[in-house]
Every structure is written in C-alpha cells, then in structure tokens.
Amino acid sequence: MITATDLRLPSSPLPFLGLLASILTWLFIRWPIQQKSQPQKIEEKAEEPFVTPLPNSQSADHDSISPKLYRPFRHGPNFITMGIRKLNWDNWIEMDSYFLRYHDMKASELKKDFKEHVKYVDNAVTRDACFELNEELVRYLVHRYPNIYRLEGGKVHNSLTGEEFSFPAATPDEALATSALLVQDDLVIMVKNDDGEYHLDAAAVCLPGFWRLKEKFRMSLDTLHFEAGVPHYAAKLQKAMNKFFQKLTPDKPVERNNFFIQLDDGLHWSHRMGEQSGSEVASGATANSKGLSVQEIHFRSERQTLRRLPRSKVIVFTIRTYFEPVTKLAQEPHVPGRLAEAFRSWDETVSFYKGKSHWDKILLPYLDEQDQLQRQNGIMEKDEEGDFPY
Ligand code: HEM
C-alpha cells in the first residue's frame, strides 16, 4: 500500500524543482510539434518507376566456371523453412560449364512437346509479363555475360549455340521459349488474380524432375504446395509465404536453395518417380527403387530466385537445378557426414515427402563409410567448412 510517507518530497527541494523545470521545458518544445503534426496537405510526389540495376560483367569464359557447389544441408536439425536470402543483382542468373547440356536438353524437350513446357494465360497482364521477363533477361545477360550474349540488329545472339532470337519477341510463347533457351533455369511467372492470390499463370519449365507444368498451371501458391504434399506447409510456410508474395518490392530480390535425392540421372525427368507423360503424382514418395545402386543416386538441388518485375508487377520465380551423382558429392570434404546428419534429422513427414525409405538403406551406409574415410585421412582439418549454403 502507498502511504503519504512514501510520497513525501525530499528534504531538499532542489532536485525536485530541477525535474519539474525539465518536464516543463520538454512540454514546451514538444507541444508545437504535436500541433504541427496534425494532418496537413502533403504535395504528392510522382513515384519514380523502378529500373533494374545493371549487373557487373563476368568476363571469365563460361567453360572455366564449374557449377556452384550449393550444399544446403546443415549440421543438426534441418527444418522446412522459407529460407530466403537477399539476392545480389549480379547473380540473378548463374551460368557455368554445363550450359550446353542444359540448353540441349531444353531444346529437345521443347521439340518433343512445346505445349507441355510453355504456357501462359491469355490476358493483358500476363502477356505483358512474358515480354517483360524476356526484356529483363536479355538486358541482364548482355551486360553480365558480354562474351556470350550480344544484342544487334533486332536479334539476341548466343555465341555458344550460334542461335539468334528476335528481340523483342513477337508473341508471349516466343518470349517464354526464347527466355528458356537463353538460360539454364526454368522460369515461372506468378500473377495476382482477382481472388487476391498469386497464381502460376505463365511458365517455361523444361527440367522440372518430377512435377508437370500442365498439372500446376493456374494453381494458386497455396494449392500448388498443398497438392504436392509439401511437408508442414500449413503450419510453417503458408502464412509467411503469402505475406512475402504480397509485400515483395521490385528492388528486393531474394534467393533460396533446396535439395532432393533422385534415384536416376534424368535432369529433365526422373523416370523412377513416374511417367513424364502420365497423370499419376510423381514424387519422392512414389519412387521405384527396385534394383537401385548407389551409383544411380543423384543429388538434386534447386537454386530459386524471386523478384517482382517493375512494369507488370508480376513475380518471377527462377528455378536453377544443380544435379550431380552422390558418389561425386561424397568426395567433397565434410559433405558425406553433414548430408547423413541432415537425412537423420528429418521428421517422419519430411522423410515421407522426400522418399527416404526408398534409398536410406543404400545411401546412409555409403555416406557413413565415406565420412569415416575422410576422418581417417584427416581431410576435415585440411579444409574449412564455410557458411550455409556451403
Ligand atoms: C518463397 C517462395 C517459396 C517457398 C518458400 C517454397 C517452399 C517450398 C518447399 C519448402 C517445398 C518442398 C521442397 C523444398 O524443400 O523446397 C516446395 C516445393 C515445391 N514448390 Fe515451392 N516455394 C516457394 C515458391 C514456389 C513457387 C513460386 C512455385 C511455383 C511454381 C513453387 C512450386 C513448388 C513445386 C512445384 C514444388 C515441388 C512439388 C512436388 O514435390 O511435387 N514454389 N516449395
């Protein structure tokens, strides 16, 4: 209980008077500001349209650039998270010595069935978005990789393949297919629909591994992840991802990495996961592991980027697949041990989604053995581990 004694003034009134003077001075200064901050007419400044920064050029010959060693698995628990990081404009699109392999596989997929791999919704925003993506890519590529790409006489030239593409493209289809052939990535355009959600309304997807564009076409962000059975989507991702899509601004591109185990060497499609032309769900869980050997097992890792295009305001999602036999990966310092640790940390839901029961009995003993060898040979001490995504 507070008594009158507790409220007694100090025996000397000086400190109290000092405090009172400070409060009065603060009120005096503050009052006019508060008055001023009443609503007042602010002259509206026209917003400057955002112009994508030009990348620095990379002059190294693409043949000398090995694919990046993204090894995005951590020590300890590996949770499903959004895991997005800020993207440096220079690195929007990565090119390396595997370019021709990717390009040729894409060209052959497009030849086999163009409509399976290139799609767009025929409305004004989406058509414009296809052209804008092509324009942004060409502008980026000729500045980033001037040894390879050149824009001249209304054509984009690729010195590696000898191809020439009309620029600007004549149709949205052409804009998408040309874009697909210019880079190693698959390309997706997410458009905000009348329901307020982002939908997969245009894409050029030639190397998806185990999902079919015709199935996901026009789906909302939520539906396409729910349909795929992405683990913990509702609890861990849905809210954050939707908020991210609504708020993303053109000046803040991001990137993220994931990884899967694939039981064959199909860069464009994993035949062990299902028929490419079929309609049954293809996934880690549906994989056929009959007669599987460790030499067949591949590590599939996607580097994805997300950015909002300034004119059409759509969101572009790029998917660059990095793909190697696990037997190759296992020779890299620290990798077999850390990868085995990550697999063991998955909960049941993640393990099911990634099809762990189809390969763990072959892969885990192999990784343990390779890890043991690295330890015996003192490899860990010789090589620093680096930071995520390693
Ligand atoms: C912030 C953006 C996004 C996040 C955080 C995210 C997250 C995820 C996660 C966690 C998975 C499970 C596999 C993995 O570990 O990556 C997944 C799978 C997938 N996501 Fe996303 N995603 C995003 C954007 C998109 C977009 C824009 C598309 C549009 C095509 C998409 C299509 C897919 C597909 C097709 C799968 C594989 C489905 C399957 O297993 O069949 N994602 N996503």
Side-chain angles (χ1 to χ4, degrees):
M1 197 172 69
I2 299 171
T3 64
T5 336
D6 295 325
L7 294 174
R8 217 173 32 208
L9 289 176
S11 49
S12 159
L14 275 181
F16 173 73
L17 288 176
L19 180 70
L20 194 64
S22 308
I23 292 171
L24 286 174
T25 314
W26 181 83
L27 279 175
F28 180 73
I29 295 168
R30 186 89 191 117
W31 190 249
I33 294 173
Q34 282 176 349
Q35 295 270 314
K36 266 196 220 143
S37 69
Q38 294 299 314
Q40 40 175 281
K41 213 164 182 303
I42 298 165
E43 243 175 64
E44 284 216 353
K45 251 196 178 172
E47 220 179 275
E48 292 283 324
F50 176 80
V51 179
T52 310
L54 285 177
N56 291 302
S57 74
Q58 187 179 84
S59 49
D61 188 3
H62 89 286
D63 258 345
S64 65
I65 302 173
S66 303
K68 287 236 180 104
L69 302 182
Y70 291 115
R71 305 294 179 245
F73 35 86
R74 300 170 191 270
H75 289 292
N78 277 249
F79 299 115
I80 290 270
T81 62
M82 269 185 65
I84 50 174
R85 311 183 305 279
K86 185 174 178 247
L87 167 71
N88 179 328
W89 285 111
D90 283 353
N91 305 327
W92 182 32
I93 301 294
E94 294 180 339
M95 267 195 78
D96 53 51
S97 55
Y98 285 6
F99 177 82
L100 285 178
R101 180 177 160 212
Y102 282 59
H103 170 276
D104 295 353
M105 182 62 86
K106 283 178 166 204
S108 119
E109 285 296 291
L110 290 174
K111 204 167 153 205
K112 208 163 70 188
D113 194 340
F114 187 91
K115 286 196 166 12
E116 189 83 4
H117 300 295
V118 176
K119 290 188 182 297
Y120 70 95
V121 178
D122 199 4
N123 63 36
V125 174
T126 313
R127 280 195 302 270
D128 183 43
C130 298
F131 291 119
E132 190 185 14
L133 170 59
N134 184 240
E135 289 159 28
E136 287 276 325
L137 268 177
V138 169
R139 183 172 173 269
Y140 171 89
L141 293 171
V142 297
H143 285 93
R144 179 68 174 155
Y145 307 108
N147 295 348
I148 300 173
Y149 302 100
R150 194 167 38 90
L151 187 56
E152 205 178 274
K155 302 236 185 260
V156 193
H157 301 255
N158 179 341
S159 67
L160 294 176
T161 59
E163 287 166 317
E164 292 180 350
F165 301 106
S166 297
F167 185 82
T171 63
D173 266 348
E174 189 184 308
L176 287 170
T178 301
S179 301
L181 289 171
L182 284 172
V183 297
Q184 286 169 254
D185 308 52
D186 279 332
L187 305 164
V188 171
I189 294 177
M190 303 292 292
V191 184
K192 193 172 182 170
N193 281 210
D194 290 344
D195 61 3
E197 292 195 47
Y198 280 82
H199 290 247
L200 196 174
D201 278 359
V205 174
C206 301
L207 313 172
F210 56 94
W211 60 276
R212 302 178 188 94
L213 178 57
K214 67 171 181 227
E215 281 165 14
K216 311 277 184 201
F217 187 53
R218 303 210 69 171
M219 277 186 184
S220 71
L221 189 67
D222 283 347
T223 310
L224 66 87
H225 286 93
F226 277 126
E227 289 262 314
V230 170
H232 309 297
Y233 185 75
K236 298 270 170 62
L237 296 169
Q238 184 177 15
K239 204 166 152 217
M241 275 168 60
N242 279 284
K243 188 168 167 205
F244 170 82
F245 269 69
Q246 298 295 338
K247 300 262 178 217
L248 180 66
T249 50
D251 57 332
K252 299 237 163 31
V254 299
E255 62 184 326
R256 72 182 289 271
N257 299 70
N258 64 16
F259 68 99
F260 303 88
I261 287 301
Q262 186 174 319
L263 306 186
D264 53 59
D265 64 355
L267 171 64
H268 64 302
W269 185 260
S270 165
H271 66 83
R272 277 189 182 267
M273 290 204 196
E275 280 293 314
Q276 185 178 16
S277 56
S279 53
E280 279 118 61
V281 175
S283 75
T286 61
N288 166 13
S289 52
K290 221 170 153 196
L292 182 71
S293 71
V294 76
Q295 282 72 25
E296 287 171 275
I297 303 180
H298 277 62
F299 175 80
R300 186 175 189 105
S301 176
E302 295 170 347
R303 172 192 181 255
Q304 307 170 339
T305 76
L306 286 144
R307 55 172 290 206
R308 190 182 293 283
L309 296 188
R311 188 175 74 221
S312 60
K313 307 282 189 283
V314 302
I315 292 181
V316 167
F317 181 57
T318 64
I319 309 154
R320 166 65 204 277
T321 296
Y322 289 80
F323 193 54
E324 299 285 358
V326 281
T327 48
K328 188 168 168 199
L329 231 75
Q331 306 315 310
E332 295 167 14
H334 304 280
V335 167
R338 201 173 70 236
L339 186 55
E341 215 179 302
F343 291 151
R344 290 193 167 100
S345 82
W346 286 347
D347 65 24
E348 234 173 81
T349 323
V350 177
S351 300
F352 177 77
Y353 174 72
K354 305 258 188 187
K356 185 171 158 188
S357 66
H358 294 288
W359 43 261
D360 60 348
K361 294 193 186 50
I362 297 174
L363 189 52
L364 281 175
Y366 171 77
L367 292 175
D368 289 344
E369 190 186 282
Q370 296 303 312
D371 178 47
Q372 212 42 48
L373 277 175
Q374 291 197 352
R375 285 174 197 280
Q376 278 162 16
N377 297 332
I379 305 247
M380 316 296 210
E381 289 82 55
K382 276 190 228 135
D383 194 279
E384 279 248 350
E385 198 164 16
D387 295 320
F388 186 87
Y390 302 98

